[in-house]
Amino acid sequence: MLREGGLVAFPTETVYGLGGNALDATAAARIFAAKGRPQDNPLIAHIADIAMLDELCYDIPDIARKIAARFWPGPLTMALPKREIVPDTVTAGLRTVGIRYPAHPVAQELIRAAGVPIAAPSANRSGKPSPTAFAHVLEDMDGRIEGIVDGGDADVGVESTFIEFVNGKVRILRPGYITPEDLAEVVGTENVEIDPAVLRGIGADEQPRSPGMKYRHYAPSAPVIAVLGENAACARAILRGVRGKAGAAAILCDEYAHLMPCTTVQVGRYGDYAAQAQRLFDALRELDRPEISVIYAQCPDDRGVGLAVANRLKRAAGFHVIEARRMLVLGLTGSTGAGKGLVSQALREQGAVIIDCDRVYHEMLASDEALLSDLRENFPAAFADGGFDRKALGRIVFGDEAQLARLNAVTHPHIRRKIAELLKNLEAGGTACAVIDAPTLFESGADADCDFVIGVTAEPALRKSRIMERDGLTEEYAALRIEAGKPDAWYREKCDFMIENNHAPGEAISAALDIYNTCSI
Ligand code: TXA
Ligand code: MG
């Protein structure tokens, strides 16, 4: 089939390739058509002995030969000056052609049997994840090509490391199973460069070194968010992302997968980059379903083969990457008299550090110059005697919604700034869990600083008697305070967890501990 200009997909150790005769411009054109591939994105040629390299390329630098001797056959492709015999259609007009000598025995036998080098991009429809299984190829290519050779699942799972040679150095245009560290062993660390586009997106006005860098790739139809960080921190960030979201899905390492309340694909143990490489594309394909609305995916760091996995994942995510924080931050809010203090005390006993926002605010009123100067500007009457008069400010806003809204607009950003500062210090000091305790957590926007928010409510009658007892208020006044607050339904809608404190305090405390255990992965 190949000799007659047909297209045959075949297994390699990296991913399946969509093969056609690399010396036949018509076959190459059919490859572009079958994949739906942009015309300016060149194909790579697969060979099955070193003599074929010299038939296709010239001016081969010594370091290329050294690298070939070390890593071929294997998951590495080199761009080298092409001879006339390689049609321009294959290289999309470039003067170099990518050459790969795959290690897979079926690929080698196929190339030898065909007797020609085989041009083969990954055997996926353009934009989809590369195929690592026979079923993937069938899904994308059935009816578009002459045949598929079934070789089982690919071992490596991400495409070959793609390198070019610039001024005697090796530049990595696409990371793969052969790592920068591996290449450095042959040519020295000082002679290995990683193209900047490997680590970040390509700007619209930038000219990529490799045409493939500029295309959206590997992406399922739902948006992907890559989550970077330590294992437990990633799991928590993913849990935060997927909780309560219809159609949310997760791709993550084995250890915390069982905690996810959503469709979840496991990709091997944390730090096992090879396993993650092998499973990533299959995971992305599995989650390419209409009912999936968003995919949170744990992203490895850039060490070893992690670089290749992170590169594919970040591209699948369109470089939407979030950093998972080590410290757990809980928000705590609720209606007055519901028993927020009880929960806060229970969390403190678990070792959490409580940021009491009422107290923070009062301390700031005493000493925070930036806040005081904004207050002076907006409420000069509260500074009638020169100094700040809290009672005077209270009189201005009491019962006046517009003034109260104005006060909140002034104070909330300052409180947010202070909370951010406190969280930063706690994180730096190694605190495992911080709790932002604020009656107006949502109104101030501080819920955005939290991983999860706990709301505490109780029956109004209970709350009334609690406030009367706690604050020594009359019944009418307590009722007014309750009426001024938000209804329970409001908390239920906004909070991640609710504690209904209608019974013995012990029940609320044990509910708080359950929530704490769920969140503190
Ligand atoms: O592992 C692999 O390399 C797989 C298997 C089938 O061998 N093949 C593969 O090919 O991934 P493909 O076409 O999907 O990816 C090759 C990438 C493309 O992004 C292309 O833009 C780039 O290599 N490329 C090809 N020729 C190039 C050249 N002469 N200079 C720079 N980049 C080139
Ligand atoms: Mg490809």
Side-chain angles (χ1 to χ4, degrees):
M1 287 175 188
L2 287 165
R3 273 196 228 114
E4 285 165 7
L7 305 186
V8 177
F10 61 98
T12 83
E13 71 276 29
T14 56
V15 301
Y16 275 77
L18 172 52
N21 181 353
L23 306 179
D24 176 348
T26 314
R30 285 195 59 211
I31 293 177
F32 282 94
K35 268 182 77 83
R37 183 170 184 132
Q39 293 296 330
D40 66 348
N41 197 0
L43 309 178
I44 63 182
H46 294 66
I47 60 174
D49 66 60
I50 285 289
M52 272 179 156
L53 172 66
D54 292 280
E55 282 163 29
L56 301 176
C57 300
Y58 67 99
D59 261 358
I60 299 166
D62 276 351
I63 56 168
R65 294 205 186 269
K66 268 200 211 157
I67 288 171
R70 174 71 171 267
F71 299 111
W72 273 359
L76 178 90
T77 305
M78 307 197 268
L80 291 164
K82 81 167 188 78
R83 291 187 191 277
E84 202 90 344
I85 183 176
V86 181
D88 286 336
T89 320
V90 169
T91 61
L94 293 185
R95 47 172 292 280
T96 58
V97 59
I99 306 286
R100 165 145 195 253
Y101 183 166
H104 199 291
V106 173
Q108 290 185 4
E109 253 188 82
L110 184 71
I111 299 164
R112 284 187 196 123
V116 288
I118 297 187
S122 49
N124 52 288
R125 297 289 300 274
S126 194
K128 293 248 271 169
S130 297
T132 55
F134 174 78
H136 298 165
V137 184
L138 193 64
E139 181 180 278
D140 279 16
M141 291 299 160
D142 196 14
R144 309 182 143 253
I145 61 178
E146 277 63 47
I148 308 171
V149 183
D150 185 353
D153 292 350
D155 278 342
V156 173
V158 291
E159 309 88 338
S160 58
T161 306
F162 195 109
I163 59 173
E164 63 171 0
F165 301 95
V166 187
N167 303 326
K169 295 190 178 191
V170 174
R171 181 183 288 145
I172 298 174
L173 299 182
R174 179 176 73 183
Y177 194 75
I178 307 295
T179 64
E181 296 88 334
D182 292 335
L183 291 162
E185 274 180 32
V186 179
V187 300
T189 312
E190 69 284 4
N191 290 318
V192 178
E193 290 171 357
I194 300 175
D195 194 275
V198 165
L199 304 167
R200 54 162 180 81
I202 279 269
D205 49 354
E206 273 179 283
Q207 179 66 36
R209 295 290 311 177
S210 174
M213 286 172 170
K214 64 174 184 276
Y215 293 109
R216 180 178 150 95
H217 211 325
Y218 312 123
S221 47
V224 177
I225 298 167
V227 183
L228 262 174
E230 181 269 333
N231 201 17
C234 275
R236 190 187 318 121
I238 294 172
L239 180 59
R240 175 189 181 186
V242 301
R243 263 193 107 257
K245 242 176 242 165
I251 297 176
L252 82 167
C253 296
D254 298 348
E255 292 80 359
Y256 299 106
H258 64 284
L259 297 176
M260 297 302 144
C262 64
T263 306
T264 300
V265 183
Q266 283 175 235
V267 287
R269 295 189 65 77
Y270 182 66
D272 186 348
Y273 302 125
Q276 289 157 34
Q278 212 254 329
R279 297 190 197 160
L280 178 67
F281 288 150
D282 185 53
L284 289 171
R285 274 181 184 263
E286 189 175 329
L287 296 178
D288 191 6
R289 300 200 299 258
E291 69 272 24
I292 303 291
S293 61
V294 61
I295 301 166
Y296 285 82
Q298 183 167 3
C299 184
D301 58 38
D302 287 340
R303 283 180 299 165
V305 179
L307 178 68
V309 181
N311 165 263
R312 305 309 191 277
L313 195 52
K314 286 175 186 171
R315 293 195 60 187
F319 290 88
H320 182 177
V321 179
I322 59 175
E323 296 262 354
R325 170 177 58 198
R326 246 170 200 282
M327 181 172 69
L328 168 65
V329 180
L330 295 176
L332 179 59
T333 189
S335 42
T336 177
K340 200 160 60 64
L342 197 67
V343 173
S344 142
Q345 181 57 28
L347 294 172
R348 194 196 314 271
E349 279 164 18
Q350 294 302 303
V353 176
I354 314 294
I355 299 175
D356 177 341
C357 289
D358 279 344
R359 215 177 73 203
V360 167
Y361 176 53
H362 287 127
E363 282 166 11
M364 290 176 81
L365 285 180
S367 59
D368 192 278
E369 289 307 326
L371 170 64
L372 287 168
S373 107
D374 266 4
L375 284 174
R376 185 188 295 271
E377 201 171 297
N378 284 278
F379 301 97
F383 292 81
D385 304 330
F388 172 58
D389 181 347
R390 232 184 95 190
K391 290 213 173 96
L393 180 62
R395 282 192 298 274
I396 296 168
V397 300
F398 185 77
D400 183 334
E401 290 214 4
Q403 291 290 7
L404 187 60
R406 184 168 192 191
L407 177 62
N408 287 337
V410 171
T411 57
H412 286 162
H414 286 288
I415 296 172
R416 288 289 302 283
R417 158 175 61 82
K418 191 71 187 176
I419 291 174
E421 190 186 308
L422 293 168
L423 288 178
K424 204 168 145 220
N425 291 341
L426 290 175
E427 169 115 62
T431 296
C433 173
V435 175
I436 304 176
D437 176 347
T440 55
L441 187 82
F442 294 107
E443 295 88 332
S444 68
D447 58 305
D449 299 323
C450 306
D451 294 310
F452 305 99
V453 176
I454 305 173
V456 188
T457 60
E459 301 287 345
L462 268 174
R463 286 164 48 206
K464 195 163 70 181
S465 58
R466 284 181 194 149
I467 308 176
M468 286 166 62
E469 193 173 319
R470 184 187 68 192
D471 302 338
L473 300 179
T474 63
E475 185 164 356
E476 292 111 291
Y477 202 78
L480 275 179
R481 283 260 297 266
I482 286 174
E483 229 166 82
K486 304 272 192 230
D488 289 359
W490 188 82
Y491 291 104
R492 283 198 196 99
E493 196 206 303
K494 287 183 141 25
C495 296
D496 297 297
F497 299 94
M498 286 304 295
I499 296 177
E500 317 271 347
N501 181 25
N502 293 322
H503 306 285
E507 283 186 32
I509 291 170
S510 86
L513 297 188
D514 280 351
I515 294 168
Y516 179 76
N517 288 331
T518 304
C519 299
S520 53
I521 293 168

